[in-house]
Amino acid sequence: MNLSTVMLSQVAAHLYWAGRQLMRAEDISRVALAYNDISLTAQHQNFADWKNLLSALEQSAPNSGEGGALRHLLAARTNPNSVRTCVYLARENMRVSRSLLPEEIWGQITQLHEAIETAPSRLYSRRHRVRQLRDIVMSCRAIIGVLLTSLRRGGTRTFLNIGILLECADMNCRLLRYAMPDDDQDDDPAQDSVRWRRVLDAFGLTNMYRVGEYGSIRRELAVDFIIADTAMPRSMLFCLVRLQTLLADLPNNTKALEECSFTLCSARRMRGGQGDIAAQLERTQNQLAKLHAVIAQTYFLS
């Protein structure tokens, strides 16, 4: 594939961020669905869980209990990383690059945007929350699917896919860090299984874990599956290997490939789910941030 054809840096940035924002909206919606299942069955509401989750997503937690946190995470206009804002920004980025995308995409992203804007309260109403979040997940999946199966190979598809893959790997790090138990937490096998079943639910991977014949759900197996199962397109190593392939086709890619190689090495150290996974996840997340910075500096700021 020859990507030497000139593409404006601003257009490349819009495509990259559209991919990231779509993936982020889907992932946060999945997390909220998984948390909803926990909160419905828990004997006591624990807002500390929401604080930890918002912290993992690098979002400040409002001091208004679970309801306020939920509004902030899903529907707050003032939160640049809420589901509502991510969908809005993805639509704006696609509007700028609309002529490069499949015709049906504009209708799909506009329909999703309008569904959220006309009834944002459904995102945090227990009565409507599950259906609304599932609709958002499926809409994001449909849009990403159309983009990756309809676009011809070239710069447009490459920068969209780079954004999607980098966001997926980054969210894997964040959610796994949030899910890791505290040092003083009891190592109860039953609670451990429930915890990691919810983590797999948040990634939408519970059934794929079973198909992979990993056996019973345990922390080390679930971590290894999410990080290192290269047959699974959602896994961190799959995303990074594919990202490396895409970067290899871009011009002026020396620094980006170097940072991607460092990130891959960091992720591979977590194979087997053993050792201080939390610390390794933090290092990998920092390396992903460096990779993003190099990509932005090389291709979007020139």
Side-chain angles (χ1 to χ4, degrees):
M1 176 171 57
N2 184 3
L3 292 180
S4 60
T5 304
V6 173
M7 171 178 278
L8 291 175
S9 59
Q10 287 187 337
V11 174
H14 285 303
L15 293 165
Y16 169 85
W17 280 111
R20 290 204 71 157
Q21 287 149 354
L22 275 173
M23 198 72 218
R24 191 172 301 173
E26 179 193 340
D27 283 339
I28 293 175
S29 297
R30 287 189 187 278
V31 171
L33 278 169
Y35 181 85
N36 186 75
D37 290 342
I38 296 171
S39 65
L40 288 176
T41 57
Q43 293 181 347
H44 303 286
Q45 296 295 331
N46 186 357
F47 181 56
D49 286 345
W50 273 111
K51 285 187 175 180
N52 291 338
L53 177 56
L54 289 169
S55 177
L57 298 174
E58 294 187 354
Q59 300 188 26
S60 58
N63 297 317
S64 54
E66 183 194 56
L70 197 59
R71 288 174 176 82
H72 180 77
L73 187 65
L74 302 180
R77 288 181 181 275
T78 55
N79 178 8
N81 291 306
S82 72
V83 171
R84 186 180 187 180
T85 304
C86 284
V87 170
Y88 166 77
L89 292 174
R91 181 176 181 269
E92 288 301 295
N93 281 309
M94 287 184 178
R95 180 181 59 78
V96 175
S97 52
R98 184 175 174 181
S99 62
L100 300 174
L101 304 176
E103 293 179 2
E104 63 265 39
I105 283 297
W106 183 248
Q108 287 180 294
I109 189 65
T110 298
Q111 185 177 15
L112 173 59
H113 172 257
E114 290 177 351
I116 296 174
E117 289 297 317
T118 54
S121 61
R122 292 183 179 179
L123 284 172
Y124 44 78
S125 163
R126 283 195 181 274
R127 181 178 178 184
H128 302 287
R129 183 192 307 169
V130 171
R131 177 179 293 180
Q132 187 82 353
L133 289 171
R134 284 176 178 167
D135 286 347
I136 292 170
V137 169
M138 294 310 297
S139 294
C140 291
R141 283 282 84 204
I143 293 168
I144 290 171
V146 170
L147 287 170
L148 295 185
T149 57
S150 299
L151 286 169
R152 67 188 300 273
R153 299 181 72 187
T156 301
R157 191 179 192 279
T158 294
F159 281 106
L160 268 166
N161 206 7
I162 287 173
I164 290 167
L165 292 167
L166 195 53
E167 183 64 30
C168 187
D170 183 72
M171 191 63 74
N172 282 3
C173 274
R174 293 179 188 280
L175 295 186
L176 284 173
R177 286 180 64 192
Y178 163 68
M180 296 303 292
D182 298 330
D183 293 338
D184 58 352
Q185 191 168 344
D186 292 336
D187 192 17
D188 184 341
Q191 290 185 359
D192 188 67
S193 179
V194 171
R195 170 190 287 265
W196 288 96
R197 164 63 192 268
R198 296 308 183 196
V199 174
L200 291 169
D201 287 346
F203 286 113
L205 295 179
T206 304
N207 198 47
M208 291 301 98
Y209 181 92
R210 295 188 179 118
V211 171
E213 298 181 351
Y214 279 81
S216 60
I217 297 176
R218 302 199 309 272
R219 180 179 67 181
E220 62 273 14
L221 294 178
V223 170
D224 193 50
F225 173 67
I226 294 168
I227 291 174
D229 191 328
T230 54
M232 228 296 299
R234 171 86 216 204
S235 78
M236 192 182 301
L237 283 183
F238 183 99
C239 291
L240 292 173
V241 169
R242 180 63 184 141
L243 190 58
Q244 189 176 52
T245 302
L246 293 173
L247 291 171
D249 286 329
L250 293 175
N252 305 319
N253 59 10
T254 302
K255 289 185 178 179
L257 283 174
E258 184 179 64
E259 291 298 338
C260 190
S261 178
F262 290 153
T263 310
L264 262 170
C265 290
S266 181
R268 284 177 174 140
R269 293 191 189 100
M270 291 182 281
R271 280 177 169 166
Q274 302 295 329
D276 189 351
I277 296 296
Q280 293 177 49
L281 284 166
E282 184 175 4
R283 284 193 291 270
T284 303
Q285 188 177 328
N286 291 336
Q287 191 60 50
L288 284 165
K290 292 180 183 178
L291 176 57
H292 159 75
V294 168
I295 291 172
Q297 180 66 41
T298 304
Y299 299 108
F300 308 151
L301 301 179
S302 57

PDB file of all heavy atoms in Angstrom, residues 178-200:
ATOM      1  N   TYR A 178      -8.036  -0.308  36.889  1.00  0.00           N
ATOM      2  CA  TYR A 178      -9.178  -0.093  37.784  1.00  0.00           C
ATOM      3  C   TYR A 178      -9.631  -1.411  38.417  1.00  0.00           C
ATOM      4  O   TYR A 178     -10.028  -1.445  39.584  1.00  0.00           O
ATOM      5  CB  TYR A 178     -10.325   0.524  36.982  1.00  0.00           C
ATOM      6  CG  TYR A 178     -11.678   0.434  37.639  1.00  0.00           C
ATOM      7  CD1 TYR A 178     -11.973   1.147  38.796  1.00  0.00           C
ATOM      8  CD2 TYR A 178     -12.674  -0.366  37.081  1.00  0.00           C
ATOM      9  CE1 TYR A 178     -13.221   1.063  39.381  1.00  0.00           C
ATOM     10  CE2 TYR A 178     -13.927  -0.452  37.665  1.00  0.00           C
ATOM     11  CZ  TYR A 178     -14.198   0.266  38.814  1.00  0.00           C
ATOM     12  OH  TYR A 178     -15.437   0.175  39.386  1.00  0.00           O
ATOM     13  N   ALA A 179      -9.532  -2.496  37.657  1.00  0.00           N
ATOM     14  CA  ALA A 179     -10.046  -3.774  38.133  1.00  0.00           C
ATOM     15  C   ALA A 179      -9.108  -4.515  39.066  1.00  0.00           C
ATOM     16  O   ALA A 179      -9.541  -5.390  39.821  1.00  0.00           O
ATOM     17  CB  ALA A 179     -10.367  -4.681  36.937  1.00  0.00           C
ATOM     18  N   MET A 180      -7.817  -4.173  39.039  1.00  0.00           N
ATOM     19  CA  MET A 180      -6.870  -4.909  39.862  1.00  0.00           C
ATOM     20  C   MET A 180      -7.199  -4.706  41.343  1.00  0.00           C
ATOM     21  O   MET A 180      -7.463  -3.585  41.787  1.00  0.00           O
ATOM     22  CB  MET A 180      -5.445  -4.441  39.593  1.00  0.00           C
ATOM     23  CG  MET A 180      -4.977  -4.708  38.165  1.00  0.00           C
ATOM     24  SD  MET A 180      -5.058  -6.448  37.672  1.00  0.00           S
ATOM     25  CE  MET A 180      -3.787  -7.138  38.714  1.00  0.00           C
ATOM     26  N   PRO A 181      -7.213  -5.777  42.148  1.00  0.00           N
ATOM     27  CA  PRO A 181      -7.548  -5.644  43.575  1.00  0.00           C
ATOM     28  C   PRO A 181      -6.468  -4.902  44.339  1.00  0.00           C
ATOM     29  O   PRO A 181      -5.301  -4.886  43.939  1.00  0.00           O
ATOM     30  CB  PRO A 181      -7.642  -7.104  44.041  1.00  0.00           C
ATOM     31  CG  PRO A 181      -6.781  -7.866  43.086  1.00  0.00           C
ATOM     32  CD  PRO A 181      -6.899  -7.157  41.759  1.00  0.00           C
ATOM     33  N   ASP A 182      -6.889  -4.270  45.434  1.00  0.00           N
ATOM     34  CA  ASP A 182      -5.928  -3.613  46.319  1.00  0.00           C
ATOM     35  C   ASP A 182      -5.069  -4.655  47.010  1.00  0.00           C
ATOM     36  O   ASP A 182      -5.438  -5.822  47.145  1.00  0.00           O
ATOM     37  CB  ASP A 182      -6.660  -2.777  47.374  1.00  0.00           C
ATOM     38  CG  ASP A 182      -7.474  -1.664  46.746  1.00  0.00           C
ATOM     39  OD1 ASP A 182      -7.070  -1.167  45.675  1.00  0.00           O
ATOM     40  OD2 ASP A 182      -8.525  -1.310  47.314  1.00  0.00           O
ATOM     41  N   ASP A 183      -3.910  -4.210  47.486  1.00  0.00           N
ATOM     42  CA  ASP A 183      -2.989  -5.139  48.148  1.00  0.00           C
ATOM     43  C   ASP A 183      -3.610  -5.797  49.374  1.00  0.00           C
ATOM     44  O   ASP A 183      -3.314  -6.944  49.703  1.00  0.00           O
ATOM     45  CB  ASP A 183      -1.706  -4.404  48.556  1.00  0.00           C
ATOM     46  CG  ASP A 183      -0.899  -3.968  47.340  1.00  0.00           C
ATOM     47  OD1 ASP A 183      -1.074  -4.568  46.258  1.00  0.00           O
ATOM     48  OD2 ASP A 183      -0.103  -3.018  47.481  1.00  0.00           O
ATOM     49  N   ASP A 184      -4.481  -5.045  50.079  1.00  0.00           N
ATOM     50  CA  ASP A 184      -5.060  -5.578  51.309  1.00  0.00           C
ATOM     51  C   ASP A 184      -6.415  -6.254  51.079  1.00  0.00           C
ATOM     52  O   ASP A 184      -7.097  -6.615  52.019  1.00  0.00           O
ATOM     53  CB  ASP A 184      -5.224  -4.453  52.341  1.00  0.00           C
ATOM     54  CG  ASP A 184      -6.105  -3.322  51.815  1.00  0.00           C
ATOM     55  OD1 ASP A 184      -6.461  -3.353  50.611  1.00  0.00           O
ATOM     56  OD2 ASP A 184      -6.420  -2.408  52.601  1.00  0.00           O
ATOM     57  N   GLN A 185      -6.795  -6.444  49.821  1.00  0.00           N
ATOM     58  CA  GLN A 185      -8.076  -7.070  49.525  1.00  0.00           C
ATOM     59  C   GLN A 185      -7.964  -8.585  49.649  1.00  0.00           C
ATOM     60  O   GLN A 185      -6.981  -9.186  49.213  1.00  0.00           O
ATOM     61  CB  GLN A 185      -8.530  -6.685  48.116  1.00  0.00           C
ATOM     62  CG  GLN A 185      -9.973  -7.064  47.812  1.00  0.00           C
ATOM     63  CD  GLN A 185     -10.447  -6.391  46.525  1.00  0.00           C
ATOM     64  OE1 GLN A 185      -9.830  -5.448  46.047  1.00  0.00           O
ATOM     65  NE2 GLN A 185     -11.535  -6.866  45.996  1.00  0.00           N
ATOM     66  N   ASP A 186      -8.961  -9.197  50.264  1.00  0.00           N
ATOM     67  CA  ASP A 186      -8.949 -10.647  50.431  1.00  0.00           C
ATOM     68  C   ASP A 186      -8.965 -11.342  49.080  1.00  0.00           C
ATOM     69  O   ASP A 186      -9.699 -10.956  48.160  1.00  0.00           O
ATOM     70  CB  ASP A 186     -10.173 -11.103  51.239  1.00  0.00           C
ATOM     71  CG  ASP A 186     -10.105 -10.625  52.684  1.00  0.00           C
ATOM     72  OD1 ASP A 186      -8.987 -10.373  53.152  1.00  0.00           O
ATOM     73  OD2 ASP A 186     -11.177 -10.503  53.321  1.00  0.00           O
ATOM     74  N   ASP A 187      -8.149 -12.381  48.969  1.00  0.00           N
ATOM     75  CA  ASP A 187      -8.067 -13.141  47.721  1.00  0.00           C
ATOM     76  C   ASP A 187      -9.099 -14.265  47.743  1.00  0.00           C
ATOM     77  O   ASP A 187      -8.767 -15.446  47.790  1.00  0.00           O
ATOM     78  CB  ASP A 187      -6.645 -13.684  47.554  1.00  0.00           C
ATOM     79  CG  ASP A 187      -6.416 -14.233  46.157  1.00  0.00           C
ATOM     80  OD1 ASP A 187      -7.219 -13.909  45.264  1.00  0.00           O
ATOM     81  OD2 ASP A 187      -5.434 -14.980  45.977  1.00  0.00           O
ATOM     82  N   ASP A 188     -10.375 -13.899  47.729  1.00  0.00           N
ATOM     83  CA  ASP A 188     -11.475 -14.852  47.744  1.00  0.00           C
ATOM     84  C   ASP A 188     -11.745 -15.316  46.313  1.00  0.00           C
ATOM     85  O   ASP A 188     -12.103 -14.500  45.457  1.00  0.00           O
ATOM     86  CB  ASP A 188     -12.724 -14.177  48.333  1.00  0.00           C
ATOM     87  CG  ASP A 188     -13.892 -15.143  48.460  1.00  0.00           C
ATOM     88  OD1 ASP A 188     -13.874 -16.198  47.795  1.00  0.00           O
ATOM     89  OD2 ASP A 188     -14.820 -14.833  49.217  1.00  0.00           O
ATOM     90  N   PRO A 189     -11.565 -16.622  46.010  1.00  0.00           N
ATOM     91  CA  PRO A 189     -11.751 -17.099  44.632  1.00  0.00           C
ATOM     92  C   PRO A 189     -13.132 -16.788  44.062  1.00  0.00           C
ATOM     93  O   PRO A 189     -13.251 -16.447  42.877  1.00  0.00           O
ATOM     94  CB  PRO A 189     -11.536 -18.616  44.769  1.00  0.00           C
ATOM     95  CG  PRO A 189     -10.692 -18.773  45.979  1.00  0.00           C
ATOM     96  CD  PRO A 189     -11.120 -17.687  46.914  1.00  0.00           C
ATOM     97  N   ALA A 190     -14.167 -16.872  44.895  1.00  0.00           N
ATOM     98  CA  ALA A 190     -15.523 -16.597  44.410  1.00  0.00           C
ATOM     99  C   ALA A 190     -15.672 -15.123  44.024  1.00  0.00           C
ATOM    100  O   ALA A 190     -16.186 -14.797  42.951  1.00  0.00           O
ATOM    101  CB  ALA A 190     -16.549 -16.976  45.477  1.00  0.00           C
ATOM    102  N   GLN A 191     -15.207 -14.216  44.905  1.00  0.00           N
ATOM    103  CA  GLN A 191     -15.280 -12.793  44.591  1.00  0.00           C
ATOM    104  C   GLN A 191     -14.390 -12.439  43.406  1.00  0.00           C
ATOM    105  O   GLN A 191     -14.747 -11.596  42.577  1.00  0.00           O
ATOM    106  CB  GLN A 191     -14.880 -11.966  45.815  1.00  0.00           C
ATOM    107  CG  GLN A 191     -15.891 -12.016  46.955  1.00  0.00           C
ATOM    108  CD  GLN A 191     -15.505 -11.088  48.086  1.00  0.00           C
ATOM    109  OE1 GLN A 191     -14.476 -10.424  48.042  1.00  0.00           O
ATOM    110  NE2 GLN A 191     -16.358 -11.031  49.108  1.00  0.00           N
ATOM    111  N   ASP A 192     -13.243 -13.086  43.326  1.00  0.00           N
ATOM    112  CA  ASP A 192     -12.318 -12.849  42.215  1.00  0.00           C
ATOM    113  C   ASP A 192     -12.980 -13.225  40.889  1.00  0.00           C
ATOM    114  O   ASP A 192     -12.863 -12.503  39.899  1.00  0.00           O
ATOM    115  CB  ASP A 192     -11.050 -13.667  42.424  1.00  0.00           C
ATOM    116  CG  ASP A 192      -9.965 -13.316  41.416  1.00  0.00           C
ATOM    117  OD1 ASP A 192      -9.456 -12.193  41.462  1.00  0.00           O
ATOM    118  OD2 ASP A 192      -9.636 -14.176  40.579  1.00  0.00           O
ATOM    119  N   SER A 193     -13.688 -14.347  40.869  1.00  0.00           N
ATOM    120  CA  SER A 193     -14.363 -14.784  39.647  1.00  0.00           C
ATOM    121  C   SER A 193     -15.450 -13.807  39.227  1.00  0.00           C
ATOM    122  O   SER A 193     -15.576 -13.468  38.049  1.00  0.00           O
ATOM    123  CB  SER A 193     -14.958 -16.180  39.856  1.00  0.00           C
ATOM    124  OG  SER A 193     -15.634 -16.614  38.696  1.00  0.00           O
ATOM    125  N   VAL A 194     -16.228 -13.315  40.200  1.00  0.00           N
ATOM    126  CA  VAL A 194     -17.294 -12.352  39.901  1.00  0.00           C
ATOM    127  C   VAL A 194     -16.691 -11.055  39.376  1.00  0.00           C
ATOM    128  O   VAL A 194     -17.169 -10.481  38.386  1.00  0.00           O
ATOM    129  CB  VAL A 194     -18.155 -12.082  41.152  1.00  0.00           C
ATOM    130  CG1 VAL A 194     -19.107 -10.921  40.901  1.00  0.00           C
ATOM    131  CG2 VAL A 194     -18.934 -13.335  41.538  1.00  0.00           C
ATOM    132  N   ARG A 195     -15.646 -10.573  40.059  1.00  0.00           N
ATOM    133  CA  ARG A 195     -14.987  -9.323  39.647  1.00  0.00           C
ATOM    134  C   ARG A 195     -14.528  -9.406  38.198  1.00  0.00           C
ATOM    135  O   ARG A 195     -14.793  -8.512  37.387  1.00  0.00           O
ATOM    136  CB  ARG A 195     -13.793  -9.039  40.561  1.00  0.00           C
ATOM    137  CG  ARG A 195     -12.899  -7.896  40.064  1.00  0.00           C
ATOM    138  CD  ARG A 195     -11.616  -7.834  40.879  1.00  0.00           C
ATOM    139  NE  ARG A 195     -11.867  -7.317  42.208  1.00  0.00           N
ATOM    140  CZ  ARG A 195     -11.714  -6.027  42.542  1.00  0.00           C
ATOM    141  NH1 ARG A 195     -11.323  -5.156  41.641  1.00  0.00           N
ATOM    142  NH2 ARG A 195     -11.939  -5.626  43.766  1.00  0.00           N
ATOM    143  N   TRP A 196     -13.857 -10.494  37.839  1.00  0.00           N
ATOM    144  CA  TRP A 196     -13.286 -10.585  36.502  1.00  0.00           C
ATOM    145  C   TRP A 196     -14.322 -10.963  35.453  1.00  0.00           C
ATOM    146  O   TRP A 196     -14.132 -10.674  34.266  1.00  0.00           O
ATOM    147  CB  TRP A 196     -12.086 -11.515  36.516  1.00  0.00           C
ATOM    148  CG  TRP A 196     -10.969 -10.823  37.227  1.00  0.00           C
ATOM    149  CD1 TRP A 196     -10.613 -10.940  38.542  1.00  0.00           C
ATOM    150  CD2 TRP A 196     -10.127  -9.814  36.681  1.00  0.00           C
ATOM    151  NE1 TRP A 196      -9.597 -10.079  38.849  1.00  0.00           N
ATOM    152  CE2 TRP A 196      -9.272  -9.370  37.735  1.00  0.00           C
ATOM    153  CE3 TRP A 196     -10.000  -9.236  35.419  1.00  0.00           C
ATOM    154  CZ2 TRP A 196      -8.319  -8.390  37.533  1.00  0.00           C
ATOM    155  CZ3 TRP A 196      -9.051  -8.252  35.226  1.00  0.00           C
ATOM    156  CH2 TRP A 196      -8.221  -7.848  36.274  1.00  0.00           C
ATOM    157  N   ARG A 197     -15.415 -11.561  35.877  1.00  0.00           N
ATOM    158  CA  ARG A 197     -16.535 -11.723  34.945  1.00  0.00           C
ATOM    159  C   ARG A 197     -17.075 -10.346  34.551  1.00  0.00           C
ATOM    160  O   ARG A 197     -17.391 -10.099  33.379  1.00  0.00           O
ATOM    161  CB  ARG A 197     -17.635 -12.567  35.603  1.00  0.00           C
ATOM    162  CG  ARG A 197     -19.009 -12.501  34.913  1.00  0.00           C
ATOM    163  CD  ARG A 197     -18.973 -13.042  33.500  1.00  0.00           C
ATOM    164  NE  ARG A 197     -20.202 -12.722  32.786  1.00  0.00           N
ATOM    165  CZ  ARG A 197     -21.264 -13.527  32.741  1.00  0.00           C
ATOM    166  NH1 ARG A 197     -21.234 -14.695  33.362  1.00  0.00           N
ATOM    167  NH2 ARG A 197     -22.345 -13.168  32.073  1.00  0.00           N
ATOM    168  N   ARG A 198     -17.181  -9.429  35.501  1.00  0.00           N
ATOM    169  CA  ARG A 198     -17.652  -8.069  35.205  1.00  0.00           C
ATOM    170  C   ARG A 198     -16.658  -7.327  34.312  1.00  0.00           C
ATOM    171  O   ARG A 198     -17.062  -6.541  33.451  1.00  0.00           O
ATOM    172  CB  ARG A 198     -17.884  -7.285  36.500  1.00  0.00           C
ATOM    173  CG  ARG A 198     -18.976  -7.845  37.392  1.00  0.00           C
ATOM    174  CD  ARG A 198     -20.266  -8.057  36.652  1.00  0.00           C
ATOM    175  NE  ARG A 198     -21.328  -8.525  37.536  1.00  0.00           N
ATOM    176  CZ  ARG A 198     -22.467  -9.080  37.109  1.00  0.00           C
ATOM    177  NH1 ARG A 198     -22.672  -9.231  35.816  1.00  0.00           N
ATOM    178  NH2 ARG A 198     -23.378  -9.475  37.968  1.00  0.00           N
ATOM    179  N   VAL A 199     -15.366  -7.549  34.523  1.00  0.00           N
ATOM    180  CA  VAL A 199     -14.366  -6.921  33.669  1.00  0.00           C
ATOM    181  C   VAL A 199     -14.515  -7.407  32.231  1.00  0.00           C
ATOM    182  O   VAL A 199     -14.510  -6.615  31.277  1.00  0.00           O
ATOM    183  CB  VAL A 199     -12.942  -7.212  34.185  1.00  0.00           C
ATOM    184  CG1 VAL A 199     -11.892  -6.678  33.207  1.00  0.00           C
ATOM    185  CG2 VAL A 199     -12.738  -6.591  35.558  1.00  0.00           C
ATOM    186  N   LEU A 200     -14.680  -8.706  32.054  1.00  0.00           N
ATOM    187  CA  LEU A 200     -14.881  -9.253  30.716  1.00  0.00           C
ATOM    188  C   LEU A 200     -16.168  -8.722  30.100  1.00  0.00           C
ATOM    189  O   LEU A 200     -16.221  -8.430  28.895  1.00  0.00           O
ATOM    190  CB  LEU A 200     -14.910 -10.789  30.772  1.00  0.00           C
ATOM    191  CG  LEU A 200     -13.570 -11.455  31.104  1.00  0.00           C
ATOM    192  CD1 LEU A 200     -13.773 -12.939  31.390  1.00  0.00           C
ATOM    193  CD2 LEU A 200     -12.563 -11.268  29.961  1.00  0.00           C
TER     194      LEU A 200
END
